[in-house]
Amino acid sequence: MAHLDQKTRKSPQKGGTPRISHVLGLVNVVLFVVASLALVAFVNYGMRRHSLEEARGRSQVILQRNLAVHQYFNSQLKPRLFERLGQGGSVEPAYFDPTWMSSTYAVREINRIFYDNVENNDGLYYKEAAVDARSPDNEADEYERAFLEALRQNPSLNEWSGVRVIDGKPFFEVMVRGEAMEASCLRCHLDPDRAPADLVALYGPERSFDRFEGQLVSALSVRIPLAAAYANADRFSHRLYGVIGAVFIGLFALQWFLARRFVIRPLGTIQDKVVQIVHNESRLGEQVGSFDTLELNEVAAAFNSLSTNLKQSRDTLESQVAERTEELHHTNRLLEEDIRERQAVEDALREFSEFNASVINSLHDALIVIDAQDYRILSVNEVFLSEEGCLNEKGVLGRTCHEVIHGFSSPCFNDGRDCSLVRSAAAGEKVVVENEVQTPEGTRYKEVVAVPIKAADGKIRQIIHISRDVTERKEAESRIRELAYFDALTGLPNRRLFMDRLRQSMKMAQRRGKKLAVLFVDLDRFKNINDSLGHQMGDELLTRVARLMEECTRNMDTVARLSGDEFAIILEDVEHDDSPAIFAQRILDIFTEPLWVGGHQTYSSCSTGIALFPRDAEDADTLLKNADIAMYEAKRLGRNRYHFFSEDMNGLALKRLELENGIRRALLNDEFFLCFQPQINLDTGRITCLEALVRWQDPVKGLVSPGEFIPLAEETALILAIDEWVLRTACRQCRTWRDNGNPEVKVAVNISGMQFKQPKFIDLIDRVLAETGLPSECLELELTEGHLMDNIESTIMTLTDLKVRGISLAIDDFGTGYSSLSYLKNFPIDRVKIDQSFVRRLPEDGSDKAIVEAILALARSLDLNVIAEGVETELQLDYLKTRDCLEMQGYFFSRPCRVEELAPLLAQAAPYGQYGRAAVRL
């Protein structure tokens, strides 16, 4: 009954939601109003439409009448008038007032008289409108001008009609095509001088002239006022509104009376009965009487039946509640006894659980006890809670292990994962697995031990799950493996892993009857990049090249970094012997565009050697060695190319290796010695400088040419040790000559580009001068053009440091490199040496003569000294003397000499005086 009361109290009360009678009344009102408005609008529209049709008919009558007058005037009256005046036919017409020449004026006058005499015409008028009409009354207004323009553009257009509002009043207007200019009319309308003077004086000389024959000059316009007709329609509409309003009020009153009598009062009676029952439950079952309508009697019968049924249900429910209450009292007594028994058991279990918890929490590994049937967690230790970030056991107990540990919604084995719990339960023994776990900090590795716990019946009820974090151990193992098999800088396989893969690939190729290729790739002049940009930029370049090589290869191929700037590539399944060449060209194409490293634009290239299996070797070591030999051959041929291995290269490689070892041995065993070639000043005939030239006396081969060992020394960086030895030895010898009484002698030392770019080159110069005691002004350093142009800013700084120390600077082999005016202007150079290739064919060769003369003129303009190298004949001497080149060096004066051979020359005051300026032969 309380439930019934709660529902019924929510029933709508009086003044709440709208009554149905109100809704029906509102709908009827809206429908009536809409129908009334539609009726009035239709009647008003019909009356206005009738007025418009009537105006259209009147306008057509006026037009037809006026057109008839036009036709009669033009066809009957005008010819007679011309005939009487004697102005017809071909006779030139005499003066005649043009006012009576046109029917237009007659029609206009007739209409004026007619309409002025008609009462209440209310704006009805007829007009023939024209542009630039002689009479201002005929001047076309805005709409008429527009119609005339439309007529001229569209010859098929004859008429326009419609409603216009003028000064706030509606008019029906009809405009039709008027008359065109006739040839006879042009006598007065073409030229104002030919028109009657009184008309020109009356209307002005600017109107109605410059016409042409056939020109459309007028339009007929009729306006019928509609204001009165529209006002009658509006008055009738207002009266109709009044009639409809009265009918509406009467209908509304009748509806209200009937609704109150037959609907509102009966519904109110039923509502009052419902309210009484809601406020007084004892009245449940009371009935309402009958009403005047069949529908409301059916509603009352339904209400009476509902009231009776609710009373019966309430009585039944109360008896059932009493019976249930007695049963619950009995059950509560039994539960209290069970609770006391369970409490004793729980106390014993709690003590055992606390013991287990103390044992579990003493472990250093995460431990959980899991139900073997549904994988729900039964117990955990503190280490596990700490790893999972839980404050207490409530967050994990009762949840599944796959949900808590892995975040899965289903057991691990459903997704095909290796689950230690499943394996342990199936085997009935301890199982150890290793899992990879993704955490916000990254990937972690855990070693999991699963131990089953069996019940008395032998079935596995629970499983102990112990996990230990072994990430650090795995990382250490992975790091050891990477250090053993991968390059730390590029991440590519190192030499050890490369050789292992090469052996496996060779075995696979041999079984399948396939070929494979090994490419040995070495970056050209990589040391220059290291020396100029630093090792960090060099490392970035190596990493960049490694990535580009990986992009060029297939998944089955192997790219490895062997050491430094050396890379090796294994190409599997080589179909044709020339296939590796296509791939090698792809590697070369990597370097066609500049590589950006650390914000620097670098240009590089590579040399590649190719060896094929089984053609070139049958074991991995020999195959790689042969590819290395082919690479050196590619470098020897000019770099930036690839070369296949051939048997002839073995001998060249052995010879190169023997020569390189010989250079190292020569440095250790002091097998190098210096020769000095004099440089002569023809003004004085004296030796001004001695150029130090290194020579190698091999104990077995004898004298080795510098052209043979110097290029190899530059390739292998042994040139640095040779340069330092030459510099120190030359400075020591020059100091000895000065101490022996030759104070004017200087020594010139050639410096390689590699030595010049060393960061501590200036320190080396300072140290050698300090150790030998040679004054800096007695030392001249010779540099080639190409080496100076590699890094302009760094070169200028280094040359300036040398210059402020008093050291002379010379450009060797001038004219064979850049020969740039810019660097001659900016570099602190003392003199240039004309290369012997330009002197050798003097004076016969015209091109060499032009080059030599240009170098001499350039040096004079820049105030630089010039010395010519390679002077071997007297003709060359005489030619250069006549061009004011007075410093020379060459076999004509002296070959490079050992120290003991130079003693007589240094002792003479002017050993070459006979070749001085005075000896020039003209």
Side-chain angles (χ1 to χ4, degrees):
M1 189 60 207
H3 179 66
L4 174 63
D5 178 69
Q6 191 175 19
K7 282 192 172 183
T8 53
R9 288 180 187 275
K10 297 180 181 178
S11 300
Q13 305 295 321
K14 293 182 179 180
T17 54
R19 297 175 182 271
I20 187 170
S21 59
H22 296 169
V23 176
L24 293 175
L26 181 60
V27 171
N28 292 333
V29 169
V30 172
L31 293 176
F32 185 82
V33 170
V34 171
S36 301
L37 293 176
L39 176 62
V40 173
F42 179 76
V43 171
N44 187 275
Y45 172 78
M47 294 182 70
R48 290 191 175 214
R49 184 72 179 175
H50 177 73
S51 301
L52 192 62
E53 293 298 328
E54 184 178 310
R56 186 186 303 276
R58 291 179 63 191
S59 61
Q60 292 298 328
V61 169
I62 294 171
L63 284 174
Q64 293 299 327
R65 183 192 64 198
N66 291 340
L67 289 175
V69 172
H70 271 282
Q71 184 177 7
Y72 176 76
F73 188 93
N74 288 327
S75 61
Q76 299 295 329
L77 296 182
K78 189 185 292 186
R80 295 177 187 176
L81 185 61
F82 282 156
E83 183 178 358
R84 289 191 178 187
L85 294 174
Q87 295 185 4
S90 60
V91 181
E92 179 69 23
Y95 171 77
F96 181 78
D97 186 356
T99 301
W100 302 106
M101 290 175 65
S102 173
S103 62
T104 302
Y105 296 96
V107 172
R108 185 186 308 139
E109 186 66 16
I110 292 170
N111 277 283
R112 184 184 62 79
I113 295 171
F114 174 76
Y115 289 118
D116 286 349
N117 295 329
V118 176
E119 295 181 358
N120 298 323
N121 60 42
D122 197 18
L124 176 69
Y125 85 107
Y126 169 84
K127 174 184 176 182
E128 182 174 15
V131 179
D132 293 335
R134 286 187 174 176
S135 173
D137 294 335
N138 283 48
E139 185 70 31
D141 62 15
E142 178 184 355
Y143 291 93
E144 292 164 341
R145 285 176 178 271
F147 180 65
L148 284 170
E149 183 63 27
L151 291 176
R152 292 168 183 166
Q153 294 180 1
N154 185 4
S156 63
L157 182 65
N158 288 312
E159 179 179 335
W160 176 88
S161 62
V163 177
R164 283 181 53 190
V165 178
I166 303 174
D167 295 332
K169 295 181 179 181
F171 289 87
F172 179 79
E173 183 171 17
V174 177
M175 291 186 289
V176 298
R177 181 184 292 270
E179 298 180 351
M181 183 61 67
E182 300 176 358
S184 59
C185 301
L186 291 178
R187 296 173 180 173
C188 293
H189 287 276
L190 189 62
D191 188 354
D193 293 337
R194 300 174 60 183
D198 56 342
L199 292 180
V200 174
L202 178 61
Y203 298 120
E206 72 279 358
R207 290 183 173 273
S208 168
F209 294 106
D210 294 327
R211 306 289 190 182
F212 57 87
E213 184 177 355
Q215 179 182 5
L216 183 64
V217 295
S218 67
L220 305 181
S221 178
V222 178
R223 292 179 188 166
I224 308 297
L226 299 174
Y230 281 6
N232 290 334
D234 292 340
R235 282 193 296 271
F236 182 79
S237 298
H238 292 158
R239 294 190 188 98
L240 188 58
Y241 275 129
V243 174
I244 292 173
V247 173
F248 171 72
I249 292 172
L251 291 176
F252 182 77
L254 179 60
Q255 181 187 9
W256 181 83
F257 173 76
L258 294 175
R260 186 168 182 80
R261 173 69 178 84
F262 295 105
V263 178
I264 296 175
R265 287 180 181 176
L267 291 177
T269 302
I270 297 174
Q271 182 181 7
D272 292 341
K273 183 59 69 176
V274 171
V275 174
Q276 293 172 6
I277 293 173
V278 168
H279 290 88
N280 188 356
E281 296 179 2
S282 62
R283 304 189 67 169
L284 187 61
E286 291 185 358
Q287 309 291 302
V288 295
S290 60
F291 302 105
D292 295 333
T293 61
L294 177 61
E295 293 82 358
L296 289 175
N297 281 332
E298 292 176 354
V299 173
F303 173 80
N304 294 335
S305 176
L306 177 63
S307 178
T308 302
N309 292 336
L310 286 176
K311 184 178 183 303
Q312 295 174 355
S313 299
R314 182 196 63 181
D315 296 341
T316 303
L317 182 61
E318 288 178 350
S319 62
Q320 291 177 352
V321 168
E323 293 175 0
R324 290 289 184 181
T325 302
E326 182 60 31
E327 292 176 0
L328 287 175
H329 285 311
H330 178 69
T331 303
N332 284 339
R333 288 192 296 270
L334 297 176
L335 287 175
E336 288 175 357
E337 295 176 0
D338 291 341
I339 289 172
R340 284 192 294 270
E341 293 176 0
R342 290 195 178 189
Q343 187 67 42
V345 175
E346 287 178 359
D347 292 340
L349 289 175
R350 185 180 302 107
E351 293 177 1
F352 182 72
S353 177
E354 290 176 356
F355 172 77
N356 287 340
S358 62
V359 173
I360 291 174
N361 289 328
S362 65
L363 297 176
H364 295 288
D365 298 327
L367 181 145
I368 56 176
V369 180
I370 302 172
D371 190 303
Q373 304 303 318
D374 56 9
Y375 303 105
R376 296 195 176 275
I377 298 175
L378 304 176
S379 179
V380 299
N381 69 350
E382 293 178 354
V383 177
F384 179 82
L385 293 176
S386 176
E387 289 183 357
E388 296 299 326
C390 298
L391 297 178
N392 50 53
E393 298 177 344
K394 294 181 179 179
V396 295
L397 295 183
R399 298 170 62 191
T400 61
C401 60
H402 51 263
E403 177 185 2
V404 174
I405 299 175
H406 304 293
F408 300 151
S409 60
S410 61
C412 306
F413 57 82
N414 286 354
D415 297 331
R417 297 181 177 88
D418 184 15
C419 180
S420 59
L421 303 179
V422 175
R423 289 174 54 188
S424 177
E429 58 185 18
K430 182 176 74 173
V431 173
V432 180
V433 298
E434 194 174 272
N435 291 333
E436 181 178 316
V437 181
Q438 299 297 330
T439 67
E441 293 76 18
T443 302
R444 307 293 295 179
Y445 297 91
K446 291 191 176 183
E447 183 182 76
V448 178
V449 179
V451 181
I453 301 176
K454 297 181 180 180
D457 56 1
K459 293 184 178 180
I460 298 175
R461 303 295 185 186
Q462 299 172 350
I463 298 175
I464 297 177
H465 179 282
I466 304 173
S467 65
R468 178 182 297 125
D469 193 321
V470 293
T471 304
E472 294 182 359
R473 187 187 74 189
K474 293 287 291 184
E475 290 177 350
E477 293 174 354
S478 177
R479 181 61 179 164
I480 291 171
R481 181 178 178 276
E482 288 182 1
L483 292 174
Y485 294 103
F486 291 91
D487 177 53
L489 175 63
T490 62
L492 295 177
N494 59 13
R495 180 183 289 272
R496 181 177 179 182
L497 181 56
F498 176 82
M499 294 304 296
D500 182 61
R501 291 186 179 179
L502 179 58
R503 293 186 184 96
Q504 294 178 8
S505 298
M506 292 172 70
K507 291 179 181 178
M508 183 67 69
Q510 190 173 18
R511 284 198 299 268
R512 298 166 58 190
K514 297 285 187 178
K515 300 178 183 179
L516 65 81
V518 172
L519 280 69
F520 199 103
V521 183
D522 184 85
L523 301 187
D524 298 329
R525 299 183 179 89
F526 175 72
K527 192 174 186 305
N528 294 345
I529 296 176
N530 256 352
D531 294 341
S532 58
L533 299 179
H535 289 279
Q536 182 178 357
M537 295 299 124
D539 290 346
E540 290 188 22
L541 177 61
L542 291 175
T543 304
R544 175 69 174 150
V545 170
R547 299 290 81 79
L548 292 174
M549 286 186 180
E550 285 183 315
E551 293 175 4
C552 291
T553 57
R554 302 165 297 180
N555 292 334
M556 68 175 70
D557 302 328
T558 298
V559 181
R561 182 189 178 207
L562 302 183
S563 64
D565 58 343
E566 294 179 344
F567 296 85
I569 302 172
I570 303 173
L571 293 183
E572 307 275 0
D573 294 343
V574 175
E575 296 291 338
H576 307 286
D577 289 352
D578 58 349
S579 297
I582 299 173
F583 179 80
Q585 184 60 49
R586 195 184 309 164
I587 297 295
L588 293 176
D589 292 342
I590 293 175
F591 301 93
T592 56
E593 298 293 333
L595 299 177
W596 287 91
V597 178
H600 296 275
Q601 191 179 33
T602 62
Y603 291 87
S604 185
S605 61
C606 69
S607 300
T608 304
I610 306 173
L612 295 174
F613 171 81
R615 188 190 72 181
D616 298 329
E618 295 184 356
D619 63 276
D621 294 329
T622 305
L623 189 65
L624 182 61
K625 184 196 74 172
N626 291 343
D628 188 13
I629 292 172
M631 182 273 294
Y632 275 108
E633 182 65 15
K635 281 188 177 291
R636 189 184 69 80
L637 295 176
R639 297 184 174 88
N640 193 26
R641 64 181 63 212
Y642 61 86
H643 204 284
F644 281 88
F645 172 79
S646 63
E647 286 297 333
D648 297 339
M649 294 181 188
N650 269 329
L652 294 175
L654 291 174
K655 183 178 179 182
R656 170 190 169 86
L657 180 61
E658 181 183 351
L659 183 60
E660 182 179 345
N661 292 333
I663 295 172
R664 298 180 188 278
R665 186 185 65 249
L667 287 169
L668 294 175
N669 298 336
D670 199 20
E671 296 176 5
F672 290 112
F673 67 93
L674 289 183
C675 289
F676 295 88
Q677 188 172 25
Q679 296 177 358
I680 313 303
N681 187 321
L682 298 186
D683 261 343
T684 62
R686 294 184 62 84
I687 298 173
T688 57
C689 187
L690 293 164
E691 182 178 3
L693 302 171
V694 65
R695 297 292 185 264
W696 178 15
Q697 184 68 40
D698 188 272
V700 178
K701 299 179 182 178
L703 192 64
V704 181
S705 169
E708 185 176 351
F709 70 86
I710 291 295
L712 180 60
E714 289 180 343
E715 269 186 44
T716 58
L718 292 171
I719 193 66
L720 297 176
I722 295 175
D723 278 354
E724 184 174 349
W725 181 88
V726 171
L727 178 64
R728 181 174 282 102
T729 305
C731 289
R732 187 182 297 114
Q733 182 59 52
C734 187
R735 177 65 188 180
T736 302
W737 284 328
R738 291 178 65 85
D739 293 343
N740 292 337
N742 297 287
E744 298 180 359
V745 175
K746 295 172 59 176
V747 65
V749 178
N750 289 279
I751 298 297
S752 66
M754 186 178 297
Q755 185 70 269
F756 182 75
K757 295 172 186 175
Q758 293 299 306
K760 296 184 178 181
F761 174 63
I762 299 296
D763 295 340
L764 173 64
I765 299 295
D766 291 340
R767 187 171 64 254
V768 170
L769 290 177
E771 291 175 359
T772 60
L774 182 69
S776 58
E777 60 270 14
C778 296
L779 176 64
E780 180 177 86
L781 300 180
E782 295 187 0
L783 303 160
T784 60
E785 296 173 278
H787 297 150
L788 294 177
M789 298 300 291
D790 282 347
N791 189 333
I792 301 297
E793 294 181 359
S794 176
T795 298
I796 292 176
M797 293 179 62
T798 304
L799 294 178
T800 303
D801 286 344
L802 295 172
K803 191 65 181 176
V804 297
R805 287 166 168 75
I807 299 172
S808 299
L809 301 173
I811 303 297
D812 195 13
D813 301 335
F814 185 78
T816 61
Y818 290 88
S819 301
S820 169
L821 290 174
S822 174
Y823 83 79
L824 286 178
K825 179 182 70 173
N826 295 324
F827 293 167
I829 303 300
D830 294 293
R831 65 175 178 168
V832 296
K833 300 183 71 174
I834 302 175
D835 188 69
Q836 60 182 347
S837 62
F838 304 126
V839 177
R840 187 176 296 120
R841 290 184 294 273
L842 290 178
E844 295 85 3
D845 192 285
S847 299
D848 287 342
K849 289 168 61 178
I851 292 173
V852 170
E853 291 178 4
I855 293 173
L856 291 170
L858 178 63
R860 281 193 295 269
S861 64
L862 295 175
D863 197 21
L864 297 174
N865 295 324
V866 183
I867 180 172
E869 294 182 297
V871 178
E872 298 181 355
T873 66
E874 192 169 355
L875 288 176
Q876 294 169 352
L877 170 70
D878 292 342
Y879 177 80
L880 292 169
K881 285 169 58 178
T882 58
R883 268 64 180 179
D884 288 333
C885 178
L886 301 180
E887 289 190 64
M888 302 182 192
Q889 174 184 354
Y891 286 0
F892 181 80
F893 302 100
S894 173
R895 291 177 175 272
C897 303
R898 292 177 179 265
V899 174
E900 57 271 16
E901 297 172 349
L902 282 173
L905 293 176
L906 294 175
Q908 299 180 36
Y912 302 101
Q914 69 271 29
Y915 305 114
R917 186 186 296 271
V920 174
R921 291 178 296 178
L922 302 177

